[in-house]
Amino acid sequence: MKTTEQYRPLFETIALPNGIELDNRFVLSPMVTNSSTVEGYVTQEDLSYAKRRAHSAPLQITGSAYIEEYGQLFEYGFGIDDDHSIAGLKKLAQAMKKDGAKAIIQLTHAGRFSKISLKDFGVVYGPSEMNLKTPIEHTVLPMTKRKIRHVITQYADATRRAIQAGFDGIEISGAQRLLIQTFLSTFSNQRDDEYGAQSLENRSRFGIEVLQAVQKVIDEEAPADFILGYRGTPEETRGHEIGYSVEDFLYFMDQLMEVADIQYLATASWGKNIYKQTIRQGKFKGKWMNQVVFDHIAGRIPVMASGGINSPEKALEAFQFADMVGASTPFVTEPEFVTKLEAGREDEINLGFTQDELADLAIPERAFKDIVELMDIGGSLSDDTRKEFSKLRK
Ligand SMILES: Cc1cc2nc3c(=O)[nH]c(=O)nc-3n(C[C@H](O)[C@H](O)[C@H](O)COP(=O)(O)O)c2cc1C
């Protein structure tokens, strides 16, 4: 069968600025499956999960790989923080690439949300001190300039490891309140030095220096068509207060694009239907976030919409203001989302899940149920499906 007329635009090829051509506009967006070892190494379950989805989209991004132990959010996430991780990551890259997709590894530091750092070492880092109450009372340790330099070096080292492991690219995430975002945010950043809150230029500095450092490694060690992607949250607000505005974010993106050869921008945030979130404050108030970002980027690099795109109709809706559309949780239960849509079999797309599909879908059992609470935030999978996941091995 042929692709239904209205969905055909989603199946046009797209070339990244570096010339890499992708067969269609879908992206398997990052999602940690919490199935690696407690030391942060890739497991057989990780590999089976990736292989089962190798045909799901032409561009695929791994779940976050922490660049240092102090930046670890998921108990059974994988790391890229030391050379011992490379052997397993090599296998993961091969699994993702087995059907021709481009495999990108996401590099992250979760800053004050690094739950595992708090559990293992009793400390989390951020731009400035904060006193927090959950999960236990603790103080966020402000990063000294030495620590900032250290983390930037770790991003560079992680990039080197990603190249050695054979990934086609890296994605730096400054989205969803990870460390890079907290430097940009006036809620989290109260510093008074050159990385501090007095000016947007200063709040942007940490992110810019990270991108400069990874670009240097790419220039020196990666193949010419290596992909550098960036994931960002375009606005941060709390009620009427602004952590940073979309104007701030767009200024920041322009700076990043000046120091690094970014090949795409993915927009993301926590919440429901993020792909059609509207801007809360400032001169663009009420407009679709992705429209403002898309208009500003103006074709310089592809923009990827994500968050809540769990049906062909929503993919098409998101595509109005994006060059690519990303889905994370929908691919957990429907690895054939794109192939079915391409074949005009959209009626067969099924995001439901029953326990007897576990093996066929290669869904890891161990610790998977612990990530259901994050799935609840976006709600792209139904209540019933999430309930089934919660019943997985205790
Ligand atoms: C269990 C779980 C793990 C996630 N892990 C990551 C991650 O490692 N990196 C990341 O950038 N986003 C991560 N996300 C956020 C997703 O990429 C995405 O923004 C969110 O799930 C909404 O998109 P969806 O509706 O397509 O699922 C995660 C989300 C969930 C539910």
Side-chain angles (χ1 to χ4, degrees):
M1 269 162 60
K2 285 204 310 207
T3 314
T4 308
E5 179 69 32
Q6 71 191 104
Y7 299 120
R8 277 195 204 148
L10 292 164
F11 290 92
E12 279 169 18
T13 59
I14 180 171
L16 299 180
N18 66 8
I20 285 200
E21 198 167 86
L22 303 168
D23 283 348
N24 62 51
R25 304 309 181 98
F26 287 93
V27 180
L28 187 145
S29 285
M31 196 197 101
V32 164
T33 50
N34 219 24
S35 45
S36 304
T37 71
V38 77
E39 297 84 10
Y41 297 129
V42 167
T43 60
Q44 197 52 51
E45 283 188 302
D46 291 329
L47 299 177
S48 305
Y49 184 87
K51 274 187 199 146
R52 182 68 179 83
R53 288 156 188 80
H55 65 292
S56 291
L59 184 66
Q60 310 216 347
I61 298 129
T62 67
S64 74
Y66 53 87
I67 57 143
E68 69 159 351
E69 286 169 317
Y70 296 109
Q72 183 180 354
L73 168 59
F74 297 89
E75 185 160 21
Y76 301 100
F78 53 82
I80 187 163
D81 57 323
D82 78 59
D83 286 352
H84 296 297
S85 62
I86 296 173
L89 292 175
K90 233 181 218 167
K91 291 185 192 157
L92 182 61
Q94 282 163 4
M96 294 167 74
K97 296 192 327 181
K98 98 176 178 37
D99 295 335
K102 295 292 171 194
I104 310 287
I105 185 162
Q106 189 187 58
L107 310 184
T108 61
H109 190 301
R112 71 170 186 270
F113 298 98
S114 307
K115 270 200 306 212
I116 306 309
S117 172
L118 186 65
K119 179 162 102 43
D120 284 358
F121 308 114
V123 63
V124 284
Y125 287 101
S128 11
E129 189 175 301
M130 271 179 143
N131 295 309
L132 301 176
K133 295 223 156 49
T134 53
I136 51 164
E137 232 173 321
H138 64 283
T139 301
V140 177
L141 206 62
M143 288 166 73
T144 59
K145 283 198 204 164
R146 184 158 170 252
K147 180 64 189 167
I148 288 178
R149 272 203 308 279
H150 182 222
V151 169
I152 292 171
T153 305
Q154 285 169 319
Y155 269 105
D157 291 344
T159 303
R160 193 167 290 122
R161 292 186 191 108
I163 296 165
Q164 285 169 12
F167 280 96
D168 297 305
I170 57 167
E171 178 178 282
I172 302 294
S173 184
Q176 290 168 310
R177 292 185 286 164
L178 298 172
L179 184 64
I180 294 177
Q181 177 171 343
T182 59
F183 270 86
L184 193 61
S185 161
T186 53
F187 296 148
S188 316
N189 185 347
Q190 315 280 316
R191 299 174 73 94
D192 56 11
D193 63 2
E194 67 266 36
Y195 295 95
Q198 306 79 8
S199 69
L200 176 56
E201 199 186 348
N202 285 351
R203 284 186 281 129
S204 303
R205 194 176 311 279
F206 176 66
I208 290 172
E209 291 185 356
V210 169
L211 268 287
Q212 265 169 335
V214 304
Q215 183 67 57
K216 184 160 182 289
V217 175
I218 293 171
D219 290 344
E220 289 169 1
E221 301 184 27
D225 59 359
F226 195 75
I227 300 167
L228 169 59
Y230 189 79
R231 193 171 218 229
T233 294
E235 184 185 37
E236 192 186 86
T237 56
R238 260 189 227 148
H240 293 298
E241 287 176 67
I242 302 180
Y244 60 85
S245 65
V246 68
E247 292 96 306
D248 292 351
F249 175 79
L250 295 173
Y251 165 88
F252 176 60
M253 272 318 297
D254 288 344
Q255 303 296 305
L256 295 186
M257 286 164 66
E258 237 169 68
V259 299
D261 245 339
I262 297 179
Q263 301 296 310
Y264 68 82
L265 163 65
T267 60
S269 189
W270 291 115
K272 296 203 169 27
N273 289 323
I274 292 302
Y275 78 91
K276 60 175 177 184
Q277 193 175 35
T278 51
I279 290 171
R280 297 186 178 130
Q281 299 291 337
K283 73 171 175 185
F284 297 110
K285 191 172 172 177
K287 276 195 143 188
W288 273 38
M289 184 94 71
N290 280 333
Q291 180 176 8
V292 173
V293 172
F294 189 65
D295 287 351
H296 179 85
I297 295 292
R300 286 176 288 167
I301 54 173
V303 175
M304 185 198 308
S306 77
I309 303 171
N310 62 358
S311 70
E313 295 81 8
K314 287 183 176 182
L316 209 52
E317 198 184 6
F319 196 54
Q320 294 174 83
F321 305 120
D323 304 284
M324 300 189 279
V325 290
S328 297
T329 53
F331 286 121
V332 177
T333 51
E334 184 50 291
E336 272 68 58
F337 188 112
V338 177
T339 42
K340 284 179 180 171
L341 184 60
E342 184 168 26
R345 291 162 47 214
E346 51 270 23
D347 295 350
E348 295 171 34
I349 292 174
N350 175 11
L351 267 53
F353 168 74
T354 52
Q355 302 277 337
D356 56 355
E357 293 173 294
L358 199 65
D360 171 47
L361 291 172
I363 292 174
E365 254 184 283
R366 201 175 49 84
F368 193 82
K369 66 171 178 45
D370 297 336
I371 57 178
V372 174
E373 67 182 73
L374 282 179
M375 295 180 173
D376 292 341
I377 301 173
S380 280
L381 297 177
S382 70
D383 291 352
D384 286 347
T385 294
R386 297 191 323 258
K387 249 181 234 151
E388 281 306 300
F389 287 151
S390 308
K391 290 184 206 154
L392 294 176
R393 206 164 77 190
K394 300 283 175 289

